[in-house]
Amino acid sequence: LLLEGKFVAENDFDRALKIYPGSADAHSGRGYARVLQGHHEDAVKDGEDSLRLAKKDPTVNSADKLSGLYTNSACVYAQALRWVEKDNALKDRKQLADAYRQRALQLLKHGIAIIPPADRSAIAREVLADEALDPIRAAPEFRSLQEQYAPKK
């Protein structure tokens, strides 16, 4: 049933993109739906498209909204990393995994950095707790963000 929901979500985002092809949110959502199904290449393309389109999308009208697109794309890359690490038959698996890991961390850092300073710590703690980021949680850069925004008590 859960897998069926992922297909339904992807179809919903496809329909939204037919109506409004410039929707950064719809590309972001479809990317996440795709990566949950294991379609990491299409998913990261959607994530990148959402960021490219955000510059022209009038609905992306605040730093919080833009930050959300960056952190959502970071989640897409982190989940793509999970799929790549499981696929022993994938050619250049290590290089692709490294690229996905680095891009996820880059997007996450940027997404947190553009949050207005007054809100940054609270939102960063929430973002860093997202289970979708588990595949990059052990990276030194991720631990550094945790120490900065969500220190253990």
Side-chain angles (χ1 to χ4, degrees), residues 13 17 20-32 42-60 65-77 103 107:
F13 288 117
L17 287 166
Y20 183 40
S23 171
D25 271 337
H27 279 279
S28 180
R30 184 175 70 178
Y32 197 72
D42 291 334
V44 298
K45 181 183 180 313
D46 276 335
E48 293 296 334
D49 286 347
S50 77
L51 298 175
R52 180 181 49 78
L53 291 166
K55 297 171 185 146
K56 300 175 196 165
D57 186 340
T59 67
V60 182
K65 186 80 167 171
L66 185 59
S67 172
L69 290 173
Y70 273 90
T71 57
N72 287 347
S73 291
C75 290
V76 168
Y77 272 93
R103 185 64 174 148
L107 292 168

